[in-house]
Amino acid sequence: MAPNILHLPNGQTISVSSVFGGLYFKNNELSTHHQSHMPPGWTIVLHSEDDEEENAKNLPAQQNPDEDDNIYTQTASSHIHRYRKPTLHNDAVFISSISNPSNNDFKPAVSQTRSIAMMLWATLWWYFHQPMPALQSPFPAQSPEAGRPKEEWRIRIKREGIFKAKHLLPKLERMGLVATDGSSVGVEDEKHNKAWDRIFVSQRAFWQIDPRIYLFTLSPTHSSPMMPSTPHSSRPSSPSRGETNTGNPGPPGSRPTSVSADTGLWSPAMEMGPFASSSHLPTYYPPHPAQYISTNGIRHPLRPKPPRQGETIYTRYVPSLGQYISLRVASLSQDPIPYRGPTGSPYGAGMTYSTNSSGQTPAITPPGQSTPQPSFLPPQSAVRTALHSPPLPSQMAYIPSSDLTVLNKWHNDPRVAAFWGESGPISRTEKFLHIGLSSKHSFPILGCFDGKPFGYFELYWVKEDRLGPLIDRGRAGDWDRGIHALVGEQEFRGPHRVEVWLSALVHYLWLQDARTERIWCEPRIDNTKFIEYLKQVGFRQEGEVTFPYKQSALMTISRDTWIAPAL
């Protein structure tokens, strides 16, 4: 059986394979990255709990459940069976065991709770990448499907295994990773408080959790004999002490050098990645407290300083594309901004991939093996292999250029010039970008697929933007954000690409400040194709707005109606 590969936002990959009684998550970076370790692995137990009435409907007439599939019956009204596919709210999970690295190699996590939270977060990242179950309730049956009430997709966290620890679930709840519907203090003592038996995580809430809170690394000990290219001897292969991280031989016992810049991981050695931390601690910081100032007579919060030029602010693997999407701040530098982050790299020689009927779920098969991926595992990422599949356009010879050169090329594309009106020499583009980087209420960014720029975007605070005074008083909230968009590369156009990058922009803005409740976009009214794309990702049109130079559709999306980014 080929293991499922889980891609984390910081570039780390985890193999997910079935084991007796559950699933095993194995960190693939043990053998390649000396300073970028999660725990080596952990095992989860995942099952579904159905009501007897619902379970009876799913069984063939006059047929009892398979004894091997019927794990146990919890109560007279509950039937627990092996997990097959996601359900709206009947799935339950707990971590049953953890494999920790040797204390001779890595210092124990400063906070064991944070380490467990990281493992649970990665497990949920895996779970919520699975095909979404239908959100419509089957009841009332007489209602048409489109008119049935919608429900939240939730997974329950069982107070079993690792989670039996007395204070662990309360700590995870205070961290915001899990939730409970028991919002009262309760009259029972903490050990018998029933609220901790009703812990869950919803899909909507999970995708609004900033990954930087939970993705951090274990700090290696100074005396560790481990080399970056080989794991500890207690794991699959023995260490090779005569090699450095670059593969050059070195004297026995020599200290390894830092991780090279081309590792494809936002590791502590990286200076420009959103997960880079030399302290091996989470890189998330809460938003600034509100301080109010006035701009042109408009009272608004003092805005935080944007990230620096060239800094990557968002990255995420997109399984349906087999590529990483990333967002970084534009730069006035005359030199290209190097991309040192993760890419959707091949899995190695001899691996092939096939696509299912929907065209989005490849099944990976190693050489000499024809067994398909089990159906209960989530969709496999699109694997690109130079030996067995033609390269994507973005894989072909790409010569990086400066942001000014790239943006000037896009501005002079007749399709782009028709809406942006910024065609001209590179000096005009330089002035345009200089204005964008000098703004106090917005900043320019470039979107990239596997490091190759495809579009230019501006993220702005609506209240003090030119849009703010043109909409009805009070409609623009203190923390509302807005988006201007330009896609310059032809190869990255198309409905699915638009859905991916639009939802990534919205996702980033939700993560950046939890007080942002609404995002605005004001495309020109004749840009009907883009308006339809906006509607497809959840925006709705609230009317029109008149600028001195254009008539625009007023498009908005609210946090409470947004579900998840496009996968």
Side-chain angles (χ1 to χ4, degrees), residues 207-212 284-288 303-307 313-314 329 441 443 445 459-461 479-482 504-516 519 559:
W207 285 111
Q208 296 183 42
I209 297 173
D210 196 316
R212 294 174 300 170
Y284 171 81
Y285 298 95
H288 296 187
R303 305 305 183 187
K305 185 174 177 60
I313 58 177
Y314 177 93
V329 182
H441 75 277
F443 65 94
I445 64 173
L459 307 179
Y460 61 91
W461 298 98
W479 312 101
D480 286 6
R481 302 298 293 267
L505 290 169
V506 171
H507 189 206
Y508 167 73
L509 292 176
W510 293 148
L511 297 179
Q512 191 182 36
D513 197 317
R515 295 169 293 189
T516 297
I519 297 171
R559 184 185 287 268

Side-chain angles (χ1 to χ4, degrees), residues 53 70 100 161 174 225 230 278 288 295-296 415 449 452 483 512 552:
E53 181 179 354
N70 185 16
N100 284 314
R174 290 173 184 171
T230 54
S278 58
H288 296 187
T295 301
N296 298 326
R415 175 182 57 83
F449 283 113
K452 180 177 181 180
I483 298 171
Q512 191 182 36
S552 293

